[in-house]
Amino acid sequence: MKTIDCRNMACPQPVVTVKRALEENPGESLTVLVDGGAPRENVSRFAANRGLMVAETPVEGGYSLVLSGNGISPEVGKTNAPVGEGKSIILVGSDRLGDGPEELGRLLMKNFMITLLDVKELPDSIFFINTGVLLTTAGSEIVEVLEKLENQGCEVFSCGVCLDFFHCKDKLAAGSVTNMFTIAESMLKARSVIRL
């Protein structure tokens, strides 16, 4: 069984490295050494989304993840789905909406998110990056709104690198942590992407 060491790698490198290793060795089990926190969560989620079983063991300096099973074809990153059949995504790159005064921008963002609760068709996923991640952390005025959106089936994700940059990963209050590989892959396969 092949072992790859992804410790001390910056996001999204652990996921990208695991993806390449799985493509080079289709159907074979793989042991991945990763740091705790976002790298462990991201690699585990990536493998599980591809139909692989993940066995996790704490080791010195992080975790050992054994990925096994047939999973989905390594071609999973590509899609033959006709346009219009993918997910709808909102990409939130700021904690405010528009380029005007900050106070107005924050009010508009809050109102936009609240309004989503009343629209006929919710987005499938909302990805928060840059200062947008501040909307998903404790103290944000829209945490309750985001929780309601999740309860209605909308996935909410925050960029782990961004949360780390603003030193607020431990304050995440809505949704879950993701990585740039997942964000990029999801956007490229999406039916529509709206950037706020």
Side-chain angles (χ1 to χ4, degrees), residues 2 11 15 21 38 44 56 66 83 97 102 106-107 132 134 144-145 160 176 183 185 187 191:
K2 183 174 182 176
C11 172
V15 171
S44 294
E56 191 176 288
V66 177
V83 174
L97 187 57
E102 287 186 27
R106 287 192 177 95
L107 177 62
L134 301 176
E144 187 176 327
V145 174
S176 56
I183 294 171
E185 184 180 58
M187 288 173 61
R191 154 177 103 246

Side-chain angles (χ1 to χ4, degrees), residues 12 15-16 18-20 22-23 42-43 45-51 72-81 86-89 91 125 127 155 157 178-193:
V15 171
V16 172
V18 168
K19 176 182 181 291
R20 289 178 183 156
L22 290 171
E23 288 174 350
N42 290 337
V43 170
R45 187 181 311 112
F46 174 83
N49 285 344
R50 277 143 182 80
I72 302 170
S73 160
E75 296 291 311
V76 72
K78 300 177 183 176
T79 179
N80 294 323
K87 291 186 174 186
S88 59
I89 292 175
L91 179 67
S125 306
F127 289 99
E155 299 172 311
F157 297 105
T178 192
N179 61 81
M180 196 54 70
F181 180 88
T182 300
I183 294 171
E185 184 180 58
S186 298
M187 288 173 61
L188 290 170
K189 295 194 305 187
R191 154 177 103 246
S192 65
V193 178

Side-chain angles (χ1 to χ4, degrees), residues 1-4 21-22 24-32 52-53 65-70:
M1 179 185 316
K2 183 174 182 176
T3 298
I4 56 174
L22 290 171
E24 291 168 5
N25 305 285
E28 294 182 25
S29 295
L30 178 68
T31 299
V32 185
L52 297 171
M53 293 178 23
L65 307 178
V66 177
L67 314 182
S68 60
N70 292 333

Side-chain angles (χ1 to χ4, degrees), residues 137-163:
T137 59
S140 165
E141 292 184 309
I142 66 162
V143 165
E144 187 176 327
V145 174
L146 295 177
E147 290 172 343
K148 288 179 180 177
L149 288 169
E150 283 188 289
N151 289 337
Q152 291 181 26
C154 177
E155 299 172 311
V156 174
F157 297 105
S158 292
C159 167
V161 169
C162 304
L163 290 168

Side-chain angles (χ1 to χ4, degrees), residues 89-173:
I89 292 175
I90 294 179
L91 179 67
V92 180
S94 175
D95 58 344
R96 54 187 183 264
L97 187 57
D99 296 323
E102 287 186 27
E103 185 179 347
L104 175 60
R106 287 192 177 95
L107 177 62
L108 292 174
M109 181 64 79
K110 176 183 173 183
N111 288 346
F112 178 85
M113 291 297 171
I114 290 170
T115 302
L116 285 179
L117 293 170
D118 293 313
V119 298
K120 186 175 180 181
E121 186 178 333
L122 285 177
D124 294 295
S125 306
I126 305 176
F127 289 99
F128 293 85
I129 61 171
N130 209 312
T131 57
V133 300
L134 301 176
L135 297 169
T136 65
T137 59
S140 165
E141 292 184 309
I142 66 162
V143 165
E144 187 176 327
V145 174
L146 295 177
E147 290 172 343
K148 288 179 180 177
L149 288 169
E150 283 188 289
N151 289 337
Q152 291 181 26
C154 177
E155 299 172 311
V156 174
F157 297 105
S158 292
C159 167
V161 169
C162 304
L163 290 168
D164 283 339
F165 183 87
F166 293 111
H167 308 289
C168 60
K169 188 176 282 183
D170 59 333
K171 296 177 183 173
L172 184 67

